[in-house]
Structure formats: structure tokens, C-alpha cells
Amino acid sequence: SVLCNFAIEKGYMSYNPFARVQKPKRPPSTSRHRVATVENVIKILNFAMNNGYGQECAALVLILFCGVRTEEVARLKWDDIKLDEEPPAVHLLDDITKATKTRINELPLNALQWLKRLRATGPVVGSKFDGRMRYLRKKSGASFKQNAARVSFASYHVAFHGDGIKTAYMLGHDNPTLLYNTY
């Protein structure tokens, strides 16, 4: 329809055959139903920390507090997490990120404290990460849906900071449009 309107404006067409076609409406977002409560975040993190799920706990901290994607966490090594530098940050290099664009996400104090307790060497998570995360969500008793961590990060970060551009950058988006349309 847009192309036909352009063609009419330029004199290439005399009418728009799509003018009467009703445009579909975008369904309302359901992401707000996936935002984890603070209580459930505390519950799943404490369960992970106290029951041998250190790798999964580190992954959740990186996703919940730093906006790192699950698939990016799976490619991260502890050397990429600069806990002792100023400012502390997670370095997501182009071979780690989804869009092959390097970004550096600062570690907020709560993430820094968790990650210092969980610090290890080598990959942040192991090869059975997905299955262990499913089991952890189930066993922790926290109402914590799949992908709730990233949705929660986006929602809480933009609400707290009031800066969609900063939040979008930390999520790895070029601009806040995807943030507001998706989260």
C-alpha cells in the first residue's frame, strides 16, 4: 500500500488497489506477564546459590542485572567479566554477541557482589546449562518463566533509570524502539 501510494504520487499509478484492505492490528504485548517479581528473583538466586547451581546463578545474575542474552552467557568466559577493574563490567565482544557488535555493560553493585562470590575460571556455564536451568526453575519454587530474566531486566532497568537509550544499549539493541515494542 505504501509503495502504491508512492507510485501514485510520482505519477506511475492512478489508484491504490490496496486502499480498502484493512491493516492488521498488532496484538497487545504479553511481556508484562513474564516480569519476575523481586521475591521470585531472590528465591531463585538463593536456591541456585545454596544448592549447587553456581553456574546457573552466575548466568541469572548476568541476565537479570546486566541485560546479557542467554545465548551470550553460554559463550562468555570468566575472563570476559572484569570484576576488579574500574568500572567493573562484562565485555561482550563481537564473537559473543548476537549482532556481532561489541558492547561493554557495567556491572551494578548487586551483580558485582553476586559475581565475586561465584567467580570461577573458564566458561561461565557448562554444556548442560539449558536442562539445568529448566530444572532449577522447577525446583526453586519460584514462579519464574523462561526468558523472564531478560524481560525483567528490561522492564526494571528502564523504569529505574528512565533511560530507554541506555537500557536498549545494554540489551544490544540499536535504539529503544525494540525495547518498547517487545518489553
Side-chain angles (χ1 to χ4, degrees):
S1 183
V2 171
L3 177 62
C4 290
N5 286 336
F6 172 78
I8 291 167
E9 185 179 303
K10 294 294 183 182
Y12 304 133
M13 291 178 73
S14 59
Y15 74 100
N16 183 348
F18 301 103
R20 291 187 175 167
V21 175
Q22 190 176 31
K23 293 180 183 174
K25 291 187 178 180
R26 188 169 187 222
S29 173
T30 60
S31 64
R32 71 177 174 272
H33 303 295
R34 292 183 308 206
V35 175
T37 65
V38 173
E39 293 78 17
N40 280 325
V41 168
I42 292 167
K43 194 175 201 179
I44 197 167
L45 288 175
N46 282 329
F47 183 89
M49 177 67 93
N50 297 323
N51 290 282
Y53 290 91
Q55 291 180 341
E56 293 74 18
C57 188
L60 282 168
V61 166
L62 289 165
I63 299 165
L64 282 163
F65 303 137
C66 306
V68 180
R69 289 179 176 94
T70 304
E71 62 269 16
E72 292 169 342
V73 169
R75 293 189 284 268
L76 271 176
K77 295 184 176 36
W78 279 98
D79 289 343
D80 300 318
I81 304 169
K82 311 302 182 183
L83 299 174
D84 301 315
E85 292 184 7
E86 270 312 312
V90 57
H91 290 231
L92 299 150
L93 304 178
D94 60 1
D95 60 333
I96 294 171
T97 63
K98 178 180 175 182
T100 64
K101 290 188 288 192
T102 296
R103 69 183 195 275
I104 298 173
N105 288 7
E106 283 190 36
L107 297 174
L109 184 58
N110 54 356
L112 182 62
Q113 291 171 339
W114 279 98
L115 293 171
K116 281 188 173 186
R117 289 181 67 194
L118 294 160
R119 185 187 319 224
T121 58
V124 172
V125 298
S127 61
K128 297 181 181 181
F129 172 66
D130 290 332
R132 286 179 55 88
M133 276 302 296
R134 278 191 300 277
Y135 190 72
L136 171 61
R137 283 194 308 273
K138 180 178 168 185
K139 293 300 282 183
S140 70
S143 177
F144 206 88
K145 297 179 179 170
Q146 185 172 356
N147 208 25
R150 187 158 158 93
V151 171
S152 299
F153 167 81
S155 299
Y156 285 122
H157 192 274
V158 79
F160 183 76
H161 294 283
D163 186 349
I165 294 171
K166 180 179 181 177
T167 303
Y169 171 80
M170 291 185 74
L171 290 166
H173 302 162
D174 290 331
N175 60 61
T177 303
L178 185 59
L179 165 70
Y180 291 117
N181 286 342
T182 306
Y183 302 102

